[in-house]
Structures are given as C-alpha cells and as structure tokens.
Amino acid sequence: MGLEAVGDLALRHILTKLGGKDTARLACLNKRFLACTEDETLWSLFCLEDLGLRSPIDPQGSTVPSFKAAYKLWMEAFGMYPWPLVKRVKRCWDRIRSWLATNFPEVDSSLRKGASEAQIEELEKLFKVKLPVATRILYRFCDGQDFRGKAPPSSEYRSLLGLIGGYFVYDHLVNVYLLPLRKVISETREIIRHPGFSGFSSKNKYILVAASSTLSKKFFFLNCTNGQLYVATGNLLMDGDMLPCVPSALICSVHDLKSDNQQDAMLLWLEEHGRRLQSGAIKIREEVSVRSICQFPEEPPLCSTAVTNGVKVRASSVFMPELANLQSSSQKYCFAYSIRMSLLPEGCIINGQHFSSCQLHWRHWIIRADDDVIDDVDAEAVIGKYPLLHPGEKEFVYQSCSHLPTATGSIEGSFRFVPGRLADPKGSAFEVEVHQFPLQLPDYIF
C-alpha cells in the first residue's frame, strides 16, 4: 500500500516520524501531500525537536510569520551542512546561553551574532586553511565575543567576562574568551610574524581561536588540518610547545560533509565546558565585586572536602599550561590550587564546647609527584595571612601553585587553628584536616 492510500491522520503521524527535511521533500510530490504538510503544528514540532525553537524565529533571532517559514529559513542557512551536526551545534550553544542568561547575563550579551559564510571563507582564503565542519557551524551560530559597549567602563571588569573563564594565583590572572573572526585574523597574523615562533607549518594550519584577555597570556590554537585544539605552553615562542586540549581519539571526520559523525575539538571542548557549567562542576566566583567564571573544580572527585571541629576546608587544583615547561626535568607541569575554608553555622566545636571564632596559625603540606613526596611544608600562615573564621561568613579563599616533574600528583595536609583569636586564645590549638586533592594533567584543558 502506497502513501496515497493512507488516511490523513495516519499520514500526519508518518510525517512526524519523517522529520522536517523529508517532509519538505514529500510536499513536492502532489497536492494532497502539500496540503498535509501545511499543518502549522507539524512544523512547530519539527522546530522544537530539531532546533529547540518554541517560537518561530530565523537564525538571526528575528520573528517570522510561521514555524514552517522558520524551518525553511534555517534549512536555507544551514542546509549545506550535515543536519544532525547542525542540531548538535545548536544544542551546544543553547545549553551555554541558557546557563549564561540565568547566571551571567553580562557574558551572554558579549556573544556576537553568527558569522556569514563569506566571512568564514575570507579567513580560509587569507590563511589557506579549511576550517573543520563543526567549527564552521559553531562560528555560523556565534562569532565569538565582543566586549565593546557590553560592560561598565572599567577595563579590568571587561577583562573578566571571558566565556571560558580562568583563575588567578598571586599576580597571575587568566580569563579566556572566544575570539571573533576579525580577531582570529589579526591575532593569528601577529603570532605568525613573531620571529621566534616555529609552530606554524604548511602541513599543520593553526589559527588562534581563544585567548586570555588579561596581561597573563594564554593561547588556544585550532589545527585546521586534524581538528585538534592546542594550548600554548610557556615554551611556545622558543620551541613551539603546545598540548592537546581534547582527547584525540574522540576527533573524527573533521572535513567530511557527507558524514553524520563529525566532531572536532572545538565542538567537544565547548560541549564539555557547557556540561561543567550546568552541573556546577565550575562556578562563578566574585572578588571585590568583579565576577568571573572560575575553572577551579567545585565538585568531587576533583574537589576535596573535610570538616574538622566545625572548620570546613575545600580544595582543588587546575593545570596552568601557560606556565608549563615541557623541556624541564623538574618543573615540567604547573598547577594552581585553591583552598576555601569556612566555619559552620554552629561554630567551632572542641570536646563538646562551642566557640564563636577560630584563627589559623600554621599549615602543613605534603606534595607528591606520582606517589613520591617532593615537598613537605611546615610553616606559619597562608600567603602571609592568618584568617579569622566566624560562623556563617563567606569562605576565606586563597590560591597558590606548585610545579611538578610529572603529569600527576597530589596535595594533602592540615591547618592548625586556635579557638578564639591568636591574640586571645580560648583553648588549645587543634589540627584541621585537608583531604588529599589531585594535581593532574586533564583530558580537557581550559
């Protein structure tokens, strides 16, 4: 039995299973099929399932008269690409933008509208590269970030609106943003011209796609040949040393327009970043009224938590590739670590006695590279401070860093507190545990 013999209700059910692209093709066969495909509820279903659209809008965000018209415009804009990949890229951006709209609208407003095919082709022509298919679609949806007019006048504030975010240790502040195509072109040109840089070759075509907006530089390069994303180490200009940011085994079919399985490092990287934001694995941190996305992990197993006598200590680390020296035997890898300490609402409790405050006096750290102890620190204070904790106050947070000769290691130890204040102790000093937390070269580098 052919489709012509199927009743209208059954035919409509079949169309919902075909999807938008095949339904549009079916409409061209005869008047009856065309009439069945005029049903607006059918196209609202396709727009929702394929593109996550709950109202009829075009790729630029403008309202159009119907869901059918909207679907047609999306097909015209992205029909040259594998449709499953288009849907996947849109889901990636939708997740990120949904989180930003709720939690960090200032960053959401910095995301530019999508680039045109002509703008992408101009970049490809200038550098004689072919962008991986997924990266092309990513830029078609969002052409990086632009901070002009999107933030208060303070340049320091603008510098912390990077979509990827970062960390700070002492005076080393990193905040990574996505470059718009115009900046990809200008910044890549500048690096290519640097006399000491040997990383670009005719075989491996690199472009700069993300960087830190602060004085502490951090660069992410897309290899347009194999689709991998690389981050520069401290030896970039001398030795061209870079590290992959995504597991290479996951990258496939980066230039194949006929495959439904394309995924390059840029797409995998942004998808993973979106997952971490939505799950709370990384969060916004506020320092002196300036907010930024912080890359220090907030959830186990990468963040440890211990509570001793009412004192809670959380600890985690992040790899700092820009300070790594792969040519060094003793300081090959550099890790920043963040320690957050607070006093629970019930206060400090020692042998059943409650105290309304306690103050740090001493610290003891054991730092390991693999399983070997490479440093055993016993000293006063933390970064020259003696934090005084009160119940219910914000965490006292400090950062430091450690170099390792290996890609994995750990830190554990304890703090010595006194109940009350150091100047007026209310009892004997007590040890507060810091659970072991990892220092490790991650699968995904941000």
Side-chain angles (χ1 to χ4, degrees):
M1 181 175 67
L3 282 178
E4 292 83 356
V6 174
D8 287 349
L9 189 60
L11 179 58
R12 187 187 183 284
H13 179 71
I14 292 171
L15 294 179
T16 63
K17 303 300 181 184
L18 284 178
K21 290 184 71 173
D22 289 333
T23 295
R25 294 190 186 102
L26 190 67
C28 301
L29 296 181
N30 59 46
K31 292 183 178 180
R32 182 186 172 224
F33 292 159
L34 177 61
C36 285
T37 61
E38 292 296 327
D39 185 350
E40 183 69 355
T41 60
L42 190 66
W43 291 101
S44 69
L45 175 67
F46 294 149
C47 283
L48 180 61
E49 289 183 344
D50 286 8
L51 301 165
L53 300 180
R54 297 185 181 276
S55 59
I57 58 174
D58 67 14
Q60 297 303 317
S62 301
T63 301
V64 295
S66 68
F67 281 104
K68 184 177 181 180
Y71 199 93
K72 180 182 178 183
L73 289 170
W74 280 88
M75 285 299 302
E76 289 174 352
F78 292 96
M80 71 288 290
Y81 297 113
W83 195 240
L85 186 59
V86 173
K87 293 191 291 183
R88 180 177 171 184
V89 170
K90 187 174 189 304
R91 284 195 301 271
C92 173
W93 277 121
D94 284 350
R95 290 191 195 104
I96 290 173
R97 300 204 70 156
S98 174
W99 185 90
L100 291 174
T102 301
N103 298 282
F104 211 162
E106 302 93 325
V107 174
D108 187 43
S109 68
S110 76
L111 297 178
R112 293 167 53 88
K113 289 186 176 181
S116 67
E117 285 291 317
Q119 290 172 315
I120 293 173
E121 289 167 2
E122 177 190 1
L123 179 147
E124 292 180 326
K125 183 177 180 181
L126 281 170
F127 295 114
K128 298 179 181 179
V129 300
K130 195 71 176 174
L131 291 187
V133 177
T135 294
R136 289 180 69 97
I137 303 174
L138 284 165
Y139 270 102
R140 286 295 311 278
F141 275 96
C142 175
D143 183 17
Q145 290 184 263
D146 189 347
F147 304 131
R148 294 175 298 182
K150 304 296 183 182
S154 166
S155 61
E156 178 184 7
Y157 183 89
R158 286 199 299 271
S159 72
L160 298 183
L161 291 179
L163 172 62
I164 305 303
Y167 40 82
F168 70 92
V169 181
Y170 306 123
D171 60 350
H172 186 79
L173 172 63
V174 165
N175 193 262
V176 175
Y177 77 108
L178 293 183
L179 274 63
L181 289 182
R182 61 179 178 81
K183 293 282 284 184
V184 171
I185 292 172
S186 62
E187 298 293 328
T188 301
R189 276 176 164 167
E190 184 175 340
I191 290 178
I192 287 175
R193 291 170 181 157
H194 195 285
F197 186 64
S198 59
F200 290 81
S201 69
S202 58
K203 181 180 178 181
N204 294 311
K205 304 286 189 175
Y206 292 98
I207 58 171
L208 185 69
V209 292
S212 178
S213 58
T214 63
L215 294 177
S216 301
K217 297 305 180 185
K218 186 173 184 178
F219 300 114
F220 291 86
F221 297 93
L222 177 67
N223 184 320
C224 297
T225 303
N226 64 17
Q228 179 61 276
L229 184 69
Y230 293 89
V231 63
T233 71
N235 283 8
L236 174 71
L237 295 179
M238 292 181 60
D239 303 299
D241 284 345
M242 296 187 284
L243 290 165
C245 296
V246 169
S248 295
L250 298 179
I251 299 170
C252 62
S253 305
V254 296
H255 293 293
D256 187 358
L257 282 170
K258 296 180 180 179
S259 171
D260 289 340
N261 299 315
Q262 305 97 332
Q263 51 183 26
D264 66 2
M266 276 290 286
L267 177 56
L268 291 164
W269 194 60
L270 287 173
E271 286 178 330
E272 177 65 18
H273 184 56
R275 279 191 288 269
R276 295 183 184 199
L277 289 172
Q278 287 199 324
S279 69
I282 58 173
K283 296 180 180 179
I284 293 171
R285 181 167 295 176
E286 185 170 331
E287 295 287 342
V288 198
S289 300
V290 176
R291 302 199 308 154
S292 64
I293 294 172
C294 181
Q295 282 292 335
F296 284 110
E298 295 284 348
E299 299 291 335
L302 297 180
C303 180
S304 74
T305 301
V307 178
T308 309
N309 294 339
V311 179
K312 181 179 180 180
V313 180
R314 302 189 305 125
S316 61
S317 71
V318 65
F319 174 56
M320 295 196 293
E322 70 279 9
L323 298 183
N325 181 356
L326 301 184
Q327 309 304 316
S328 170
S329 59
S330 61
Q331 297 191 340
K332 186 170 289 189
Y333 301 97
C334 186
F335 298 90
Y337 57 88
S338 175
I339 309 297
R340 292 82 102 187
M341 59 184 75
S342 60
L343 192 56
L344 297 183
E346 54 268 31
C348 178
I349 306 171
I350 304 173
N351 297 324
Q353 188 175 359
H354 290 248
F355 300 91
S356 61
S357 66
C358 60
Q359 190 167 13
L360 183 143
H361 179 218
W362 205 268
R363 75 185 188 278
H364 178 214
W365 284 136
I366 299 173
I367 303 175
R368 289 183 172 89
D370 290 335
D371 294 323
D372 299 324
V373 175
I374 61 169
D375 208 356
D376 192 324
V377 181
D378 231 344
E380 276 194 82
V382 290
I383 59 169
K385 296 181 179 180
Y386 301 84
L388 177 64
L389 306 183
H390 291 94
E393 289 186 345
K394 288 179 61 176
E395 291 178 316
F396 173 83
V397 181
Y398 82 93
Q399 282 78 226
S400 190
C401 62
S402 180
H403 284 85
L404 295 187
T406 60
T408 59
S410 65
I411 297 179
E412 62 188 289
S414 62
F415 295 121
R416 186 177 304 155
F417 278 81
V418 298
R421 308 167 62 96
L422 289 176
D424 183 21
K426 301 298 183 182
S428 300
F430 62 97
E431 299 294 317
V432 170
E433 181 183 10
V434 181
H435 274 179
Q436 185 180 88
F437 59 95
L439 310 178
Q440 62 186 42
L441 182 66
D443 289 336
Y444 286 83
I445 300 177
F446 291 97

